[in-house]
Amino acid sequence: MKLLIDDANIEKIKKILEFYPVDGVTTNPSILAKAKRNPYEVLGEIRSIIGEEAELHAQVISLKADDMIEEAHIMQKNLGKSTYIKIPTIPEGLKAMQVLSSEGVKITATSIYTPLQAWLAAKAGADYAAPYVNRIDNLGANGVEHTKMMQDILRDKSCHTKILAASFKNSYQVQEMCAYGIGAVTVSPEIFENLIKNSSVNEAVTAFVRDFEKLCGKGKTMKDCM
Ligand code: G3P
């Protein structure tokens, strides 16, 4: 399962990249608004930090298919052809996806709340379908179960679309995605820390150091205990 950062804060992205095995960065207009800078400037900086091989996802703002298509072309020109263009999964978006996918543009169908939206996005040629797990929970439904159903639908051999699950409120939801073979998750910096935060682990690691120092002396490691 691919692991992406759902944020546009440069410092936070750099900090996560230093430690975690990350496959890319996703943004949306609300995330870019928090950066309070020109979107192309921020996205360009993110690209230079993550490198050409990593995934970068950025969303169109237009609500009409023709405008979405034009916007996608301009975004590709400015951000590179490997950029995934996020398109809302509304009827106009499905229309745009069909045109853009036939041109080979990489598409992430976004704002997905239902399995039928994911199915339609797949039929329209999207590379990823991005369900909002926690936002689905907040509608009184089960975001994890909805996403699993989407995965079952997209398992069809003729379908190349993968799930890019988004909007998590805890690490358990992410683990559920891992266990079900979801294609990718995008996780906020806050949830990133919770993927591995565990006081028992810290205690175990500290005890190992303490015991070794009792054996070989303070500050000693396998580098210098000969
Ligand atoms: O891009 C979609 C995702 O970032 C939404 O997350 O936390 O705003 O529900 P959230």
Side-chain angles (χ1 to χ4, degrees):
M1 183 173 77
K2 288 193 176 178
L3 173 61
L4 291 93
I5 306 168
D6 200 21
D7 209 292
N9 181 299
I10 300 297
E11 292 317 309
K12 287 181 181 176
I13 290 171
K14 280 184 182 168
K15 194 171 165 207
I16 292 169
L17 285 175
E18 186 182 352
F19 298 105
Y20 295 88
V22 167
D23 298 291
V25 172
T26 57
T27 64
N28 64 34
S30 306
I31 285 173
L32 287 175
K34 283 189 208 150
K36 294 191 167 64
R37 290 167 59 197
N38 179 277
Y40 282 112
E41 195 183 298
V42 176
L43 290 163
E45 198 172 341
I46 294 172
R47 169 58 80 201
S48 71
I49 294 167
I50 63 177
E52 290 304 318
E53 299 300 315
E55 293 187 9
L56 178 62
H57 298 242
Q59 189 165 331
V60 298
I61 309 301
S62 306
L63 296 175
K64 292 282 178 200
D66 288 348
D67 297 328
M68 289 175 180
I69 293 165
E70 191 185 350
E71 203 176 337
H73 290 157
I74 292 169
M75 288 168 74
Q76 277 214 314
K77 200 169 155 210
N78 283 281
L79 299 169
K81 283 204 181 302
S82 63
T83 306
Y84 284 80
I85 306 297
K86 291 177 73 176
I87 300 180
T89 311
I90 55 178
E92 294 282 344
L94 291 171
K95 184 176 171 185
M97 284 179 214
Q98 290 175 79
V99 174
L100 291 167
S101 65
S102 72
E103 296 173 357
V105 175
K106 291 183 173 178
I107 298 167
T108 299
T110 193
S111 304
I112 290 187
Y113 287 77
T114 69
L116 285 173
Q117 271 181 295
W119 174 62
L120 288 170
K123 284 186 72 65
D127 296 280
Y128 279 120
Y132 289 177
V133 175
N134 191 52
R135 294 193 194 190
I136 295 170
D137 281 355
N138 279 331
L139 292 174
N142 186 324
V144 165
E145 291 308 317
H146 267 51
T147 305
K148 287 180 178 176
M149 192 190 292
M150 292 177 206
Q151 174 77 358
D152 290 342
I153 290 168
L154 301 188
R155 266 201 191 108
D156 183 328
K157 281 193 183 62
S158 63
C159 173
H160 82 283
T161 312
K162 296 198 176 330
I163 298 284
L164 166 54
S167 179
F168 293 101
K169 74 165 182 298
N170 61 54
S171 56
Y172 184 73
Q173 293 168 328
V174 177
Q175 182 174 290
E176 289 276 293
M177 301 291 103
C178 282
Y180 209 71
I182 297 296
V185 290
T186 185
V187 176
S188 70
E190 295 68 35
I191 301 297
F192 246 97
E193 288 176 15
N194 292 336
L195 297 179
I196 199 163
K197 192 165 73 180
N198 185 325
S199 59
S200 297
V201 175
N202 295 345
E203 278 171 29
V205 173
T206 306
F208 288 140
V209 173
R210 194 175 54 235
D211 290 343
F212 192 85
E213 287 184 335
K214 272 190 219 155
L215 177 69
C216 294
K218 186 112 186 101
K220 292 289 183 190
T221 69
M222 292 298 283
K223 275 191 304 192
D224 54 9
C225 65
M226 282 74 85

